[in-house]
Amino acid sequence: MRWKEELLQLTPYQPGKSIDEVKRQYGLEKIVKLASNENPFGCSQQVLDKINQFAGSLALYPDGYATDLREALASKLGVSETQIIFGNGSDENIQIISRALLRPGFNTVMAAPTFPQYKHNAVIEGAEVREVPLINGEHDLEGMLKQMDERTNVVWLCSPNNPTGTYINENKLLSFLKRVPQETLVVLDEAYFEYVVAEDYYHSIELIKQFENLIVLRTFSKIYGLASLRIGYGIGSEKVIRALEPAREPFNTNTFAQIAATAALEDQAYVDMCRQRNREGLEQYYHFCEQEQLSYSRSQGNFILIDFKVDGNEVFQYCLERGYIVRSGVALGFPTSVRVTVGSKEENDEMIALMKAFISEKSPLNK
């Protein structure tokens, strides 16, 4: 078969081990998963109530326009309904953008390391990928501008960045956007937007009004706790959204996802609670890192990247065998680190105790 050569260069996405798989493999009863940046508190009770009240037919296709959710989201954001595009998670919106704009003969610019699906989709479409290394865990915006030319169709910004948790402040972002050519689409991925507490974080919805070549991606997978339902969205100018829509599959967001997301928007008190608990959890990890003299990035997301100065796979395996699933930094571009999702206070305490045990066992004094 005549496969795309680009596909032969790639490997499929490798999801982390499932809870059931780890239980079977290591004979464990309790598993704590802190690897995929999921909300440890789940979703709002209002969401569960709405789903349980569903009386429709599973034989019918979902609303292809996502009318109720579109109206609710447009009202909350203060934008037109035609400025929103929905996707099967942010992943599909990344795929839609890549499908619409990337092709051989053109290039795309991104940070490195960052969310890997930007590069993955660009390679599939045959575009040249230009990666600009992070500086102290942060986007090198000046370096990214230098990599752009008349053949740059998309530039990707992840803020807060996955896996570092760092963000781009308002002044730096404004300066960057003013210098990006109008024909280049800037994708501002804000998957962790609702967790941000930094005072100098920008107001992206306002920036959309100023920069027609900007699209903002957000998701219901993280703080809203709807990862299993796969629903995300993009906000941009009507011109950008109209151009992207033909690349979107019909009926791409399911009925339950639309119902759940609409209900989730109504419970902002729940979002506030999750944000506060997350900040408290991050402080637990900051204290641990400083106590153990470990390097880390202060995070605006619901995760923290910790440098143990040893093979990240070794830390990952040690935790896994004891029932705690984290993400090795080896696959994330930080080979001596692990990324840990912030859990409940109890989960964080247990995880920190386990990491202390690892450090103690690996100490030269114990060898």
Side-chain angles (χ1 to χ4, degrees):
M1 295 184 184
R2 301 180 183 89
W3 303 107
K4 272 187 173 182
E5 289 186 11
E6 292 83 2
L7 278 175
L8 302 179
Q9 305 171 28
L10 297 170
T11 56
Y13 175 75
Q14 298 295 321
K17 291 180 178 292
S18 70
I19 290 175
D20 288 340
E21 183 182 359
V22 175
K23 282 183 177 180
R24 288 193 302 269
Q25 185 173 357
Y26 297 102
L28 299 168
E29 291 297 324
K30 176 185 175 182
I31 302 294
V32 177
K33 186 180 179 220
L34 300 173
S36 301
N37 302 340
E38 296 145 330
N39 187 338
F41 308 108
C43 65
S44 161
Q45 183 61 44
Q46 290 188 32
V47 171
L48 297 176
D49 292 342
K50 278 291 177 65
I51 290 177
N52 288 333
Q53 293 167 12
F54 176 72
S57 171
L58 297 182
L60 300 179
Y61 284 107
D63 176 3
Y65 189 67
T67 306
D68 292 343
L69 175 58
R70 185 180 297 273
E71 291 175 353
L73 188 58
S75 176
K76 181 179 185 299
L77 298 176
V79 299
S80 166
E81 293 177 18
T82 52
Q83 288 184 260
I84 301 171
I85 186 170
F86 290 102
N88 190 247
S90 285
D91 290 313
E92 190 190 20
N93 281 326
I94 292 167
Q95 185 182 61
I96 289 170
I97 291 166
S98 301
R99 184 181 185 186
L101 283 166
L102 299 181
R103 55 192 183 275
F106 292 85
N107 67 74
T108 180
V109 176
M110 63 195 69
T114 191
F115 188 53
Q117 289 304 299
Y118 311 146
K119 181 177 182 178
H120 186 91
N121 281 282
V123 170
I124 290 174
E125 300 302 334
E128 177 192 353
V129 176
R130 297 181 178 179
E131 297 179 283
V132 180
L134 299 172
I135 297 179
N136 297 323
E138 298 184 358
H139 282 66
D140 176 10
L141 297 180
E142 293 299 321
M144 295 177 79
L145 284 166
K146 290 176 183 177
Q147 286 295 318
M148 297 169 62
D149 57 27
E150 69 279 358
R151 308 295 283 180
T152 303
N153 276 6
V154 182
V155 57
W156 307 88
L157 303 176
C158 190
S159 178
N161 187 43
N162 181 8
T164 59
T166 53
Y167 71 104
I168 304 169
N169 70 35
E170 183 175 22
N171 288 338
K172 290 180 179 179
L173 181 59
L174 270 172
S175 175
F176 178 82
L177 291 173
K178 288 175 181 177
R179 289 181 284 169
V180 175
Q182 280 294 304
E183 60 270 19
T184 299
L185 182 68
V186 178
V187 182
L188 188 53
D189 188 345
E190 294 186 332
Y192 300 93
F193 162 76
E194 292 85 0
Y195 285 109
V196 175
V197 296
E199 293 183 359
D200 59 348
Y201 196 72
Y202 49 83
H203 298 282
S204 55
I205 304 303
E206 292 301 313
L207 292 177
I208 289 169
K209 301 173 184 177
Q210 185 176 350
F211 299 96
E212 192 176 70
N213 62 329
L214 173 66
I215 185 170
V216 176
L217 303 185
R218 292 180 183 173
T219 182
F220 287 94
S221 294
K222 303 305 179 184
I223 206 166
Y224 288 105
L226 301 179
S228 68
L229 292 178
R230 311 303 299 123
I231 185 160
Y233 59 97
I235 319 109
S237 68
E238 292 187 1
K239 181 178 179 180
V240 165
I241 299 302
R242 185 168 59 249
L244 289 174
E245 275 289 352
R248 178 181 66 84
E249 295 294 330
F251 311 115
N252 62 329
T253 61
N254 70 77
T255 299
F256 285 107
Q258 293 179 26
I259 292 171
T262 304
L265 286 174
E266 297 172 359
D267 194 355
Q268 290 300 308
Y270 183 77
V271 172
D272 293 340
M273 181 276 289
C274 291
R275 182 188 304 111
Q276 178 60 31
R277 295 278 186 88
N278 184 70
R279 299 320 301 178
E280 294 168 359
L282 282 170
E283 290 296 333
Q284 290 178 263
Y285 285 105
Y286 295 161
H287 178 71
F288 157 72
C289 291
E290 288 159 10
Q291 189 179 50
E292 299 293 336
Q293 297 183 321
L294 298 173
S295 298
Y296 68 98
S297 296
R298 295 189 73 86
S299 176
Q300 292 295 320
N302 68 334
F303 57 88
I304 182 169
L305 187 71
I306 305 173
D307 189 352
F308 284 83
K309 302 299 182 186
V310 298
D311 186 343
N313 286 338
E314 187 178 352
V315 185
F316 161 80
Q317 189 64 33
Y318 181 91
C319 295
L320 183 69
E321 292 174 4
R322 291 155 180 81
Y324 293 79
I325 310 174
V326 295
R327 188 73 187 271
S328 170
V330 172
L332 303 176
F334 292 90
T336 61
S337 299
V338 295
R339 191 191 67 195
V340 184
T341 302
V342 177
S344 66
K345 183 181 185 305
E346 294 72 25
E347 290 170 340
N348 299 333
D349 284 338
E350 294 167 0
M351 187 68 237
I352 288 169
L354 184 60
M355 292 190 292
K356 284 183 176 180
F358 172 83
I359 293 170
S360 177
E361 290 184 25
K362 298 300 175 182
S363 169
L365 296 177
N366 295 326
K367 293 182 179 179

